[in-house]
Amino acid sequence: MTMTRRYHDPLDKKFIAGELCLDFANTVDWRASGAPVELLKTCEDLVTWGRRAGLVDMPTARRFFRESQKRPDDAAAVLKRAVTVREAIYGLALALLQLRRPSAKDLEIFNRELRIAFQHRKVVPGHQGLSWNWDSRNRDLEELLWPILRSAAELLTSERHARIRQCADDRGCGWLFLDTTKNHSRRWCAMEDCGNRAKARRHYQRIRAPKAKITED
Ligand SMILES: [Zn+2]
C-alpha cells in the first residue's frame, strides 16, 4: 500500500466533491486507511484552501495571513475549531451514506458552529431582488467556516444527501463526493487518481491470470 501523498503540494488538489462541505471534509488524505494524513496543519493551510475553494480573493487571503500572524493564539483556536467541525461534517455525511443514525456528538459540534455562523447571515441587494450574504469583516479567519457550514447544513438536510458517495478505492482513500451522474455510477474521487489506479490493477490482474494458469498446469 502506497501511503505517500498524492500531490506534491498536499493542498494543491482538485476540488472533486461537487459540494463545498465535502471538499472540506476531504482535507484529510487516506481517511479510511489506518494512516490518515492531515492536510490542514497550519492556519496558512486553511487560508490557502479557502482561497483555492474560491471563498476569498487574494487580498482577503493576505489579510487573513497577516491577522493570523498578529494573533497566533486566536488563529490556532480557529484552526482547531475548523478541524473539529470538519470531522463532525465527515461523520454526519458518512452516517447518512451508511444509513446510520448520526452521532449526537457530531450533531452537537456541528450545530454549535452553525449557530455561530448563522448569526452572521444577512440579505443584500442582488441581481434579482435580494440574496443571502455574510456580515463579513474580511479579516477574521473564522469567516472561512461560515459558507462551509451553510453548504453542509443545506446538503445534509436536502434530498441530494442520498447522492453522497465515498471513493471505492481499496487502499482507504475515503474521500466523499456527490454522485451527480444520471445512472448513479460514479465510484471514484477522481478518475485520474484512484479510478485509473483501479483500472490499471484490473488490467494487470487480467493479463496475469492466464500466465498463472499455465504455471499451474
Ligand atoms: Zn479516491
Side-chain angles (χ1 to χ4, degrees):
M1 190 185 289
T2 318
M3 301 308 285
T4 51
R5 282 175 190 166
R6 283 170 286 184
Y7 304 95
H8 176 62
D9 171 356
L11 286 170
D12 188 18
K13 69 173 185 81
K14 293 200 176 82
F15 288 77
I16 54 89
E19 184 69 41
L20 178 67
C21 62
L22 298 183
D23 277 321
F24 188 61
N26 292 342
T27 53
V28 176
D29 256 350
W30 309 112
R31 248 204 190 287
S33 78
V37 179
E38 175 60 69
L39 301 182
L40 297 181
K41 292 197 194 72
T42 65
C43 302
E44 285 73 22
D45 290 340
L46 181 60
V47 178
T48 302
W49 187 88
R51 186 172 58 73
R52 291 186 181 158
L55 298 181
V56 285
D57 56 15
M58 200 53 187
T60 309
R62 285 207 194 93
R63 206 171 308 121
F64 282 167
F65 278 129
R66 280 199 301 275
E67 288 295 320
S68 316
Q69 281 163 352
K70 262 195 261 173
R71 296 178 287 127
D73 290 351
D74 291 351
V78 172
L79 177 67
K80 201 172 163 200
R81 279 171 54 203
V83 167
T84 305
V85 78
R86 179 196 65 194
E87 292 311 294
I89 292 170
Y90 176 74
L92 293 173
L94 202 63
L96 293 182
L97 166 70
Q98 297 171 343
L99 306 177
R100 283 187 287 108
R101 181 189 286 273
S103 103
K105 194 171 169 238
D106 284 344
L107 276 173
E108 190 194 319
I109 293 166
F110 182 74
N111 279 324
R112 188 172 59 221
E113 290 295 342
L114 188 66
R115 259 196 306 277
I116 299 171
F118 275 23
Q119 280 170 4
H120 300 277
R121 289 218 295 183
K122 65 174 183 182
V123 289
V124 294
H127 291 303
Q128 292 172 324
L130 298 172
S131 62
W132 282 110
N133 207 324
W134 300 103
D135 189 11
S136 160
R137 301 199 308 150
N138 281 332
R139 62 175 58 239
D140 301 321
L141 196 55
E142 180 191 331
E143 294 174 17
L144 287 173
L145 301 184
W146 304 343
I148 296 167
L149 286 154
R150 179 181 162 181
S151 153
E154 285 178 355
L155 173 66
L156 300 176
T157 57
S158 80
E159 284 178 4
R160 288 184 308 137
H161 82 256
R163 293 294 193 108
I164 299 172
R165 299 280 182 275
Q166 187 165 37
C167 180
D169 176 70
D170 60 3
R171 299 164 297 175
C173 163
W175 276 7
L176 301 176
F177 55 87
L178 270 194
D179 179 10
T180 53
T181 57
K182 271 204 184 115
N183 53 356
H184 301 207
S185 61
R186 181 172 167 193
R187 298 187 63 207
W188 316 106
C189 61
M191 202 55 223
E192 62 272 25
D193 195 331
C194 295
N196 264 349
R197 185 244 171 210
K199 216 165 88 183
R201 202 158 148 239
R202 278 198 305 275
H203 177 68
Y204 176 68
Q205 281 164 350
R206 260 202 310 273
I207 56 166
R208 206 165 151 254
K211 270 190 198 157
K213 213 174 164 216
I214 293 163
T215 341
E216 270 167 34
D217 294 345

